[in-house]
């Protein structure tokens, strides 16, 4: 085991590895899981859906919704709050939606971040690949040893493992989903229980009499090798499993020398090593014999948060030693920025913030890290934090001073959006981490000042209330709608799935009905923004001209005249994922970026060559004949241009392009609305029919019903 050993359960009690996933509100059991690392638990996505009272195959990420996880240690069962850190929803074999009644599917994994003890969660088992004929065991999510079900891996097929249960004893059933499959021969978990095949029933739903031809006790699971394939691209396993340490690695050899020099006294090394082990949630082998320099250096380069802990233990008495440990350990990619305690405290602080503030977290990231080539993203706050922790500081430094890391800078920007008490808590956290890292107060103060300036500017142009409307074609001249409202905390659906179709006039009345339910924040006199989600074939649909014709109404109700109306095409934005970073980068320059006017016929290749590397181009005005216009517009949107303006009707020079040239990019939604109102009143003076494509990288767009998955900002 070595001097630093993982805190684990007894080998003859593997049922201790089973974690219980429960509903946060009433504690009802939803299913099982098992501990991946000090603060991560793996389970099935459908177990999380059950715990949150959602449909079994709901594909949307739960976001900040909270549930409970129970884990077992030597003193009993402990319950902790948890949220989804990484979400891989159930999907059909063709990548589509899983439907009720399906008996097989793929994906269906959820990694939960658990607010557990400072030393980390206990009993994280080893993992290894599933193979045919392995003898395995599973337990009910309640974690009782008596619920053991003995199974044999019958076959592996298409990333699924089929399991046959013994004819006696427990059968896999409700409550086993998400639990580990333990192989005693391998002394490791080899997969995750997902579902079982139910006995056949007659058309009325009653069980049929037993028959030798019936499938008996057949279940299926996700093998560990398939789980690895799903989680590896997300970076989850980087902090969970590490490659064997290369003892010829220069970082290791240098760190051995540093340890010998900064901890030469054996009694001091024992004390620091014991405290290091305790804070990292592992066992110390001895209270009398210290670890060798090689053992201590190896632990610092294999446990992702050990280096941060040791630097904190050294900082007060020996700042130079702390600096040397950080600098040398930084040569390896394994050590993370924060200690377990710092990370847990940050998550608690962020979890206590208002959702409206957390909804602006990606906006703060873009503002805090304007020069980052590819901005981090993810399905959850925890995934975003994990990526931010790996980024270096991009702030200025003088005379070799340590730079302010990207994560601390982002926390300062988020804190600047908070009211006084919450802002003070985040600043105290940042002060503590900066002190441990040896970052000068002046450097952190400069970043804090930058954040305050940005927050004041952001308040002046705070996100406006908006309605999102997805428009899909139905029968000729009719449309199907889905609607969401967003008052600042993210979209909430206000219409349900339906086969109802609307004429243009009926659709306008439906959208106006939704708009009438909105209430803008006090002091915000701006009209709500109407953001219409369309596919690439519907960019020129005249939705802004839809009029709620009703003889009983006093005013006509033209959507684009009363409200700033923009179109958004997630299909094109996502078509080439490599340009997503360009889109975010351009959006961050919205107030200072350039406008490119296409006033002569250009093919797609010419547009591509002109714009692909011009990241300071944030807006394109298209003034070409309709025959080539649509190709130009779609190419611009696919390249990540966030703002594109064109006239859907003109063959000659566009009055829209000329008129809008004087309007600031951020003011275009209102400028276009004014133009439409003027065109309604005086068509000869305002002959254009403007369209504004607007892809806001700081605002969340619903995922569930889009043609292709959409970025959650």
């Amino acid at each position: 085991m070595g001097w630093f050993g993982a805190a684990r359960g007894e080998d003859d009690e593997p049922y201790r590895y089973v974690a219980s996933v429960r509903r946060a509100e009433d504690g009802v059991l939803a299913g099982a899981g098992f501990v991946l690392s000090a603060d991560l638990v793996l389970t099935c996505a459908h177990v999380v859906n059950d715990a949150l009272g959602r449909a079994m195959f709901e594909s949307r990420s739960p976001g900040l919704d909270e549930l409970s996880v129970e884990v077992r240690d030597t003193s009993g069962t402990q319950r902790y709050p948890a949220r989804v850190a990484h979400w891989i929803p159930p999907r059909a074999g063709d990548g589509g939606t899983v439907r009720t009644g399906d008996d097989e599917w793929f994906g269906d994994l959820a990694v939960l971040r658990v607010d557990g003890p400072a030393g980390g969660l206990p009993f994280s088992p080893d993992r290894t690949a599933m193979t045919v004929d392995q003898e395995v065991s599973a337990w009910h999510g309640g974690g009782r040893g008596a619920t053991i079900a003995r199974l044999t891996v019958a076959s592996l097929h298409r990333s699924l493992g089929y399991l046959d249960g013994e004819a006696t004893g427990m059968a896999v059933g409700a409550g086993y989903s998400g639990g580990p499959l333990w192989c005693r021969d391998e002394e490791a978990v080899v997969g995750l229980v997902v579902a079982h095949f139910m006995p056949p029933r007659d058309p009325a739903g009653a069980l049929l009499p037993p028959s030798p031809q019936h499938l008996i006790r057949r279940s299926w699971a996700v093998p560990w090798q398939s789980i690895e394939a799903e989680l590896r691209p997300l970076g989850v396993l980087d902090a969970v499993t590490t490659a064997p340490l290369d003892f010829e690695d220069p970082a290791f050899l240098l760190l051995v020398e540093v340890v010998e020099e900064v901890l030469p006294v054996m009694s001091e090394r024992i004390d620091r090593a014991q405290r290091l082990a305790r804070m990292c949630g592992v066992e110390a082998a001895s209270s009398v014999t210290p670890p060798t320099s090689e053992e201590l250096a190896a632990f610092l380069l294999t446990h992702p948060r050990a280096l941060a802990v040791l630097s904190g233990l050294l900082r007060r008495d020996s700042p130079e030693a702390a600096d040397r440990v950080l600098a040398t350990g930084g040569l390896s990619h394994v050590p993370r920025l924060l200690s377990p305690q710092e990370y847990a405290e940050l998550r608690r602080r962020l979890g206590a913030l208002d959702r409206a503030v957390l909804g602006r977290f990606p906006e703060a990231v873009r503002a805090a890290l304007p020069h980052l080539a590819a901005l981090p993203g993810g399905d959850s706050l925890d995934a975003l934090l994990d990526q931010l922790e790996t980024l270096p500081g991009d702030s200025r430094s003088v005379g070799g001073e340590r730079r302010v890391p990207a994560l601390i800078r982002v926390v300062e920007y988020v804190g600047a959006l908070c009211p006084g008490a919450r802002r003070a808590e985040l600043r105290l956290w940042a002060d503590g981490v900066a002190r441990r890292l040896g970052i000068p107060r002046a450097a952190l103060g400069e970043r804090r000042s930058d954040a305050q300036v940005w927050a004041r500017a952001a308040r002046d142009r705070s996100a406006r209330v908006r309605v999102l409307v997805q428009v899909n074609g139905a029968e000729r001249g009719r449309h199907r709608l889905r609607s969401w409202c967003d008052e600042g905390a993210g979209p909430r659906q206000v219409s349900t799935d339906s086969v109802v179709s609307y004429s243009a006039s009926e659709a306008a009345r439906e959208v106006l009905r939704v708009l009438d339910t909105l209430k803008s924040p006090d002091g915000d006199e701006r009209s709500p923004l109407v953001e219409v989600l369309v596919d690439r074939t519907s960019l020129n649909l005249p939705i802004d001209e839809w009029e709620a014709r009703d003889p009983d109404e006093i005013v006509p109700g033209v959507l684009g005249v009363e409200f700033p109306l923009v179109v958004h095409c997630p299909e094109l934005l996502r078509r080439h994922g490599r340009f997503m970073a360009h889109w975010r980068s351009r959006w961050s320059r919205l107030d200072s970026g350039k406008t490119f006017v296409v006033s002569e016929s250009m093919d797609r290749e010419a547009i591509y060559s002109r714009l692909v590397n011009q990241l300071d181009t944030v807006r394109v005005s298209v003034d070409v004949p309709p025959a080539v216009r649509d190709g130009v517009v779609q190419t611009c949107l696919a390249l990540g241009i966030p703002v594109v303006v064109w006239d859907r009707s003109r063959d000659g020079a566009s009055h829209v392009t000329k008129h809008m040239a004087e309007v600031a990019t951020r003011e275009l939604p209102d400028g276009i609305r004014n133009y439409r109102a003027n065109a309604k009143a005086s068509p000869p003076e305002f002959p254009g029919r403007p369209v504004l494509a607007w892809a806001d990288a700081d605002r969340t767009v619903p995922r569930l019903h889009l043609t292709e998955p959409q970025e959650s900002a």
Side-chain angles (χ1 to χ4, degrees):
M1 179 176 72
W3 202 94
F4 296 94
R8 303 184 50 170
E10 300 176 22
D11 291 341
D12 60 347
E13 294 184 333
Y15 72 87
R16 291 181 180 271
Y17 294 133
V18 179
S20 304
V21 180
R22 298 183 178 273
R23 296 178 182 171
E25 55 184 24
D26 56 16
V28 172
L29 182 76
F34 71 90
V35 176
L36 269 183
S37 69
D39 62 351
L40 297 179
V41 164
L42 179 67
T43 184
C44 288
H46 81 260
V47 170
V48 173
N49 282 333
D50 183 30
L52 297 177
R54 309 194 317 165
M56 179 175 175
F57 298 121
E58 174 63 74
S59 61
R60 291 176 301 170
S61 172
L64 299 175
D65 292 345
E66 193 171 276
L67 41 78
S68 292
V69 169
E70 286 181 351
V71 295
R72 289 150 192 87
D73 56 24
T74 54
S75 62
T77 300
Q78 311 297 329
R79 183 177 296 187
Y80 304 105
R83 291 192 303 271
V84 172
H86 299 278
W87 180 252
I88 302 174
R91 62 180 184 271
D94 60 0
T97 302
V98 183
R99 302 184 183 280
T100 302
D102 290 353
D103 54 15
E104 290 182 345
W105 53 88
F106 298 89
D108 200 4
L109 299 173
V111 179
L112 307 180
R113 186 82 65 182
V114 181
D115 292 330
L121 300 173
F123 304 160
S124 175
D126 290 335
R127 282 86 58 182
T128 193
M130 179 182 288
T131 59
V132 175
D133 295 332
Q134 279 177 333
E135 302 289 332
V136 298
S137 301
W139 291 266
H140 185 267
R144 295 177 56 210
T147 64
I148 185 172
R150 298 197 179 278
L151 310 160
T152 301
V153 179
S155 68
L156 299 174
H157 179 65
R158 291 193 68 194
S159 302
L160 303 181
Y162 296 100
L163 314 168
D164 286 340
E166 294 182 357
T168 59
M170 287 287 185
V172 170
Y176 282 75
S177 292
L181 284 166
W182 173 259
C183 180
R184 185 174 294 276
D185 290 340
E186 301 284 352
E187 292 192 349
V189 169
V190 297
L192 198 71
V193 179
V194 179
H196 60 285
F197 292 93
M198 297 298 295
R201 297 176 181 268
D202 63 23
L207 287 172
L208 294 172
S211 165
Q213 297 300 314
H214 288 170
L215 189 65
I216 300 175
R217 295 199 173 185
R218 167 66 56 82
S219 305
W220 62 272
V222 185
W224 177 251
Q225 56 266 39
S226 300
I227 296 173
E228 280 191 314
E230 295 273 16
L231 298 185
R232 185 71 67 185
L234 302 178
V236 179
L237 299 180
D238 294 343
V240 173
T241 57
T242 57
L245 181 64
D246 179 4
F247 293 98
E248 299 300 320
D249 183 350
F252 172 73
L253 299 176
L254 289 172
L255 199 53
V256 169
E257 294 181 8
V258 171
V259 168
E260 291 176 346
E261 293 176 11
V262 302
L263 293 173
V265 180
M266 293 300 102
S267 60
E268 183 181 13
R269 185 181 296 183
I270 291 174
D271 175 66
R272 298 289 168 84
Q274 286 184 320
R275 293 167 65 185
L276 174 63
R278 184 168 58 253
M279 294 175 71
C280 290
V282 302
E283 295 176 344
S286 174
S287 59
V288 178
T289 303
T292 65
S293 302
E294 289 78 10
E295 287 176 317
L296 185 49
F299 183 62
L300 295 175
L301 294 182
T302 53
H303 189 294
R305 302 199 182 278
L307 192 79
V309 172
L310 182 60
S311 69
L313 295 175
L314 295 173
R315 175 63 60 186
R316 175 179 295 182
D317 299 329
S318 181
E320 292 184 0
D323 289 339
R324 291 189 62 192
V325 166
L326 286 171
T328 309
L331 298 174
S332 167
H333 70 279
V334 173
R336 308 285 283 196
L337 175 69
L338 304 179
S339 70
Q341 295 73 26
E342 290 167 345
Y343 186 78
E345 183 183 354
L346 176 60
R347 291 185 61 250
R348 284 194 296 271
R349 299 299 186 199
L350 294 176
L353 300 183
D354 291 338
R355 290 206 172 196
V357 173
L358 287 179
R360 300 182 66 185
F361 200 99
E363 179 186 353
V365 172
R366 282 184 273 275
L369 309 174
H371 305 301
L372 201 63
L375 290 167
D379 281 339
S380 68
L381 177 63
D382 293 275
L384 187 55
L385 290 178
D386 287 346
Q387 294 184 51
L388 286 171
E389 211 181 346
T390 65
L391 299 178
D394 70 341
S395 54
R396 298 173 293 278
S397 63
V398 179
E401 293 177 347
R402 289 183 63 85
R403 294 185 172 190
V404 179
L407 177 59
I408 295 182
R409 184 164 182 169
V410 169
V411 169
E412 288 291 345
Y413 275 65
V414 173
L417 298 173
C418 299
R422 298 298 186 197
R423 181 170 62 249
E425 291 173 350
L426 290 176
R427 286 182 174 178
L428 286 172
W429 177 89
D431 287 341
V433 178
R435 190 162 47 248
R436 175 183 63 78
L437 294 173
I439 296 171
R441 291 186 60 85
L444 181 61
E446 188 175 357
R447 306 287 78 74
R448 188 166 289 168
S449 177
D450 292 342
Q452 290 173 316
V453 171
W454 168 78
R456 282 195 294 269
R459 281 192 292 271
D460 293 339
R461 60 169 194 264
S462 58
R464 72 197 305 168
V465 173
R466 62 178 179 155
V467 167
L468 300 101
V469 184
Q470 183 188 11
V471 178
N472 289 323
E475 57 270 25
R476 185 175 180 84
R478 299 184 70 83
H479 314 273
R480 292 190 177 92
L481 308 180
R482 289 191 179 94
S483 303
W484 296 261
C485 291
D486 183 2
E487 290 92 347
R492 55 180 179 83
Q493 190 164 348
V494 294
S495 66
T496 57
D497 293 358
S498 172
V499 295
V500 175
S501 65
Y502 301 86
S503 67
S505 178
E506 292 166 343
R509 284 201 298 272
E510 172 63 15
V511 175
L512 289 173
R513 181 192 64 79
V514 175
L515 284 160
D516 283 339
T517 67
L518 288 175
K519 183 180 183 300
S520 297
D522 292 340
D524 189 351
E525 299 179 354
R526 296 173 297 178
S527 299
L529 178 73
V530 179
E531 186 171 340
V532 183
L533 308 176
V534 296
D535 61 29
R536 61 189 299 188
T537 65
S538 300
L539 285 165
N540 287 303
L541 195 65
I543 302 166
D544 53 282
E545 299 174 3
W546 287 358
E547 182 177 339
R549 297 189 185 93
D550 190 332
D552 295 330
E553 292 294 337
I554 299 174
V555 294
V558 182
L559 292 182
V561 170
E562 293 191 29
F563 299 94
L565 185 148
V566 301
V567 296
H568 183 68
C569 185
E571 174 190 355
L572 286 171
L573 186 61
R574 274 289 191 181
R575 191 171 186 84
H576 300 291
R578 61 186 181 274
F579 297 121
M580 295 295 289
H582 291 196
W583 165 57
R584 298 189 189 99
S585 180
R586 287 188 169 103
W587 182 264
S588 70
R589 299 179 171 95
L590 194 68
D591 294 309
S592 59
K594 298 177 181 178
T595 298
F596 175 54
V597 179
V598 183
S599 57
E600 58 185 27
S601 295
M602 299 177 68
D603 59 24
R604 294 173 188 259
E605 289 192 7
I607 290 290
Y608 168 82
S609 301
R610 186 70 179 264
L611 295 178
V612 66
N613 287 323
Q614 293 183 2
L615 297 186
D616 57 348
T617 298
V618 303
R619 166 180 169 182
V620 174
S621 294
V622 182
D623 185 8
V624 295
V628 295
R629 181 194 62 211
D630 291 350
V632 172
V633 168
Q634 292 186 22
T635 301
C636 290
L637 296 177
L639 287 171
I641 302 295
V643 179
V644 183
V645 184
W646 71 96
D647 187 336
R648 74 164 67 93
S649 66
R650 302 295 295 176
D651 289 328
S654 170
H655 184 263
V656 170
T657 301
K658 180 180 179 181
H659 193 81
M660 289 296 115
E662 303 301 321
V663 179
T665 301
R666 194 176 291 276
E667 304 303 322
L668 274 176
D670 290 299
I672 293 287
R673 188 204 67 80
N674 290 337
Y675 187 101
R676 290 169 178 153
N678 288 328
K680 186 74 173 175
S682 181
E685 294 183 46
F686 294 87
R689 299 174 68 196
V691 185
L692 173 60
W694 185 263
D696 187 337
D698 292 330
R699 305 296 297 273
T700 304
V701 173
R703 281 181 168 273
L704 183 59
H705 304 300
L706 299 179
T707 304
E708 293 186 16
Q710 169 60 24
E711 175 76 6
S712 279

